[in-house]
Amino acid sequence: MLDLSQIIKAYDVRGIVPDQFSEPVARAIGTAFVEMLRESGDEPDQIVIAHDMRESGPGLAAAFARGVNAAGCAVINIGLASTDQLYYASGSLHLPGAMFTASHNPAQYNGIKLCRAGARPVGQDSGLVVVRERAQDLLRDLNAEADGVSRVEQRDLLGDYAAHLRHLVDLSGIRPLKVIVDAGNGMGGYTVPAVLGDQVLEPLPLTIVPLFFELDGSFPNHEANPLDPKNLVDLQNAVREQGADIGLAFDGDADRCFVVDENGDPVSPSAITALVAARELAKFPGSVIIHNLITSAAVPEIILENGGKPIRSRVGHSFIKAEMADSNAVFGGEHSAHYYFRDFWFADTGMLAAMHVLAALGGQDLPLSEFAAEYERYTASGEINSTVADAAAKSDEVRAAFPDAQVDDLDGLTFSFEDGSWFNLRASNTEPLLRLNVEAADPARMASLRDDVLAIVRG
């Protein structure tokens, strides 16, 4: 029998369909999710569910719903949705939620992102281990297959989601912008026309040029993972060839957004974090802003310059969301282009971040390359992965090689130097990888530091 620890990890459920993640597994997780909520003091009457464009999504979601019904709980199914649309549903309806998606993973994968009412995260420290153990027991129990009475309500919340985002960021008064959007055949092709186009609401001063808006979970054009530079090439070429003001790329479930300027050059997620932080601090002076420890040193600098209070966090949405809730932070950003907002239930939404960038760009006359330059102060390596047999031993070697650095262990090891340069080395939670991020004041220093660390890690 399948060991569910193979697919239920630190933050979510993810596996190959049907070998690892099948409809019986989804059904068991549905029942286990309701039981975990009850054991932790919640008494849900309904669970809201949604799925992305992957072919396996509707069947898995229906099986999960049967498991929820078997546990005596009803289901609201909002159908096709982005992950942040599911968070909107969980927040606005104040219901626990389940989003069926494998985000940017290849077509053969699917998974579930679970949340409590109000879009509060469910991770390994907040109920996911209990879900895994209970679902494993259910799969062992041949008598656990009896379905309850089917109670599934279909509901369309796309228009409500779009209206909520439009309420949070007013784009009606900006200068006209030509925006090329690469949805990668993912859910951005469903949500962008509703939020930024005139499909649902009043038109905006935006000319949206779509790339790969056709929903297709086989990803026929490129992977829906804009973090990989090769998946930005189509967008970059289109922006240059068509003279656009900005390019936006969404991942498969459209909860992350990447930005390229009018020259087709990427604008780093750290710069976007700093830009949005400045905007939020203008509305909510003195607020707390969360940034993970891999974002640029420019991020806390700019937060302080704008009167905010930066708080450094571990990498990962469950840590960011918990830190935001504890500190009542107005905004949080990660190097991976996840952006979190207090006025979106502390949840992450790529669409809302994109709207902030459009509002900032359209509210002044400079091109994006010049406007974003004030937020790009240092040279970064980006995340570099190395396969290692013993991550702890390699980390110890690196520590010994830099005796003059200041080292902290909030998340992996972060080495800081007197010239302001730094690097972070941390082990993957799910793979035999060490992840390296390096930043320095100039390209030469960054490259030298990067190469010195990699020589040890890969030596």
Side-chain angles (χ1 to χ4, degrees):
M1 185 177 65
L2 175 67
D3 178 2
L4 292 186
S5 64
Q6 297 176 22
I7 66 169
I8 302 180
K9 302 290 189 177
Y11 309 123
D12 58 16
V13 180
R14 201 157 311 181
I16 296 172
V17 178
D19 296 350
Q20 295 178 308
F21 186 29
S22 62
E23 292 186 10
V25 170
R27 186 196 178 285
I29 293 172
T31 297
F33 182 47
V34 175
E35 293 180 354
M36 179 278 290
L37 292 171
R38 287 175 177 154
E39 288 174 8
S40 62
D42 295 336
E43 292 295 334
D45 295 321
Q46 296 174 303
I47 307 291
V48 59
I49 67 174
H51 61 84
D52 68 12
M53 66 290 141
R54 292 168 189 267
E55 185 177 343
S56 59
L60 291 168
F64 180 91
R66 291 195 298 274
V68 170
N69 289 163
C73 194
V75 168
I76 294 176
N77 186 354
I78 66 171
L80 274 171
S82 60
T83 290
D84 68 323
Q85 189 181 338
L86 183 278
Y87 292 151
Y88 166 78
S90 173
S92 62
L93 300 175
H94 200 68
L95 294 176
M99 176 67 198
F100 284 77
T101 180
S103 186
H104 61 275
N105 282 105
Q108 66 268 33
Y109 284 81
N110 213 326
I112 321 174
K113 295 179 179 179
L114 298 170
C115 63
R116 297 174 185 266
R120 290 176 293 145
V122 172
Q124 64 180 2
D125 298 324
S126 51
L128 197 53
V129 171
V130 176
V131 171
R132 185 187 71 212
E133 293 173 349
R134 180 60 183 139
Q136 192 78 68
D137 290 341
L138 289 168
L139 288 173
R140 291 192 187 99
D141 185 357
L142 297 178
N143 297 318
E145 294 301 317
D147 288 333
V149 176
S150 178
R151 291 191 291 159
V152 180
E153 173 191 347
Q154 307 294 326
R155 193 178 298 185
D156 180 2
L157 293 180
L158 180 62
D160 295 340
Y161 156 80
H164 179 72
L165 294 184
R166 287 275 197 100
H167 172 72
L168 295 178
V169 179
D170 183 8
L171 295 171
S172 60
I174 65 173
R175 65 182 168 95
L177 296 174
K178 185 174 185 179
V179 186
I180 298 183
V181 180
D182 185 343
N185 300 109
M187 291 311 302
Y190 182 70
T191 56
V192 167
V195 179
L196 301 180
D198 56 4
Q199 176 178 302
V200 175
L201 304 171
E202 291 298 314
L204 296 170
L206 302 172
T207 300
I208 303 293
V209 181
L211 285 181
F212 315 131
F213 271 35
E214 304 79 17
L215 300 183
D216 188 338
S218 69
F219 307 116
N221 295 288
H222 60 70
E223 290 181 353
N225 179 18
L227 192 59
D228 187 334
K230 72 175 183 289
N231 298 320
L232 288 177
V233 171
D234 291 319
L235 176 63
Q236 292 170 305
N237 289 338
V239 167
R240 296 184 191 110
E241 292 167 2
Q242 300 188 43
D245 296 289
I246 185 174
L248 304 174
F250 291 91
D251 66 345
D253 60 336
D255 64 347
R256 290 188 294 157
C257 181
F258 290 74
V259 178
V260 302
D261 66 22
E262 78 284 358
N263 299 315
D265 295 324
V267 180
S268 78
S270 287
I272 301 301
T273 296
L275 184 158
V276 177
R279 285 178 52 83
E280 290 289 71
L281 288 168
K283 289 194 299 181
F284 305 102
S287 294
V288 170
I289 306 286
I290 307 296
H291 64 98
N292 77 20
L293 53 77
I294 298 176
T295 55
S296 170
V299 173
E301 290 175 4
I302 291 167
I303 293 168
L304 289 168
E305 289 165 10
N306 284 271
K309 302 171 185 175
I311 292 182
R312 185 167 169 262
S313 166
R314 294 180 63 184
V315 174
H317 77 94
S318 60
F319 302 115
I320 291 268
K321 289 174 181 175
E323 192 72 67
M324 287 190 67
D326 289 345
S327 62
N328 197 33
V330 70
F331 173 66
E334 293 201 84
H335 72 296
S336 56
H338 281 285
Y339 305 106
Y340 308 80
F341 295 84
R342 184 172 68 194
D343 50 14
F344 199 77
W345 300 279
F346 299 114
D348 43 327
T349 162
M351 188 70 73
L352 188 53
M355 294 172 72
H356 274 283
V357 175
L358 292 171
L361 176 61
Q364 52 83 63
D365 295 327
L366 291 174
L368 182 54
S369 60
E370 295 181 34
F371 178 61
E374 64 181 286
Y375 303 102
E376 300 260 22
R377 298 180 176 180
Y378 306 106
T379 300
S381 65
E383 192 153 89
I384 303 168
N385 292 317
S386 301
T387 301
V388 296
D390 189 336
K394 285 295 183 183
S395 297
D396 288 343
E397 286 184 47
V398 173
R399 186 195 284 265
F402 296 93
D404 296 330
Q406 288 190 332
V407 183
D408 77 62
D409 58 357
L410 174 64
D411 193 353
L413 298 174
T414 301
F415 296 73
S416 302
F417 302 88
E418 289 185 357
D419 64 358
S421 59
W422 61 270
F423 70 86
N424 173 270
L425 191 68
R426 64 189 182 92
S428 166
N429 285 321
T430 57
E431 301 170 274
L433 298 175
L434 273 176
R435 307 189 191 278
L436 173 67
N437 284 267
V438 186
E439 183 176 79
D442 62 77
R445 170 61 170 154
M446 186 282 293
S448 174
L449 192 54
R450 176 199 64 202
D451 294 346
D452 287 347
V453 178
L454 287 178
I456 299 169
V457 170
R458 297 176 176 179

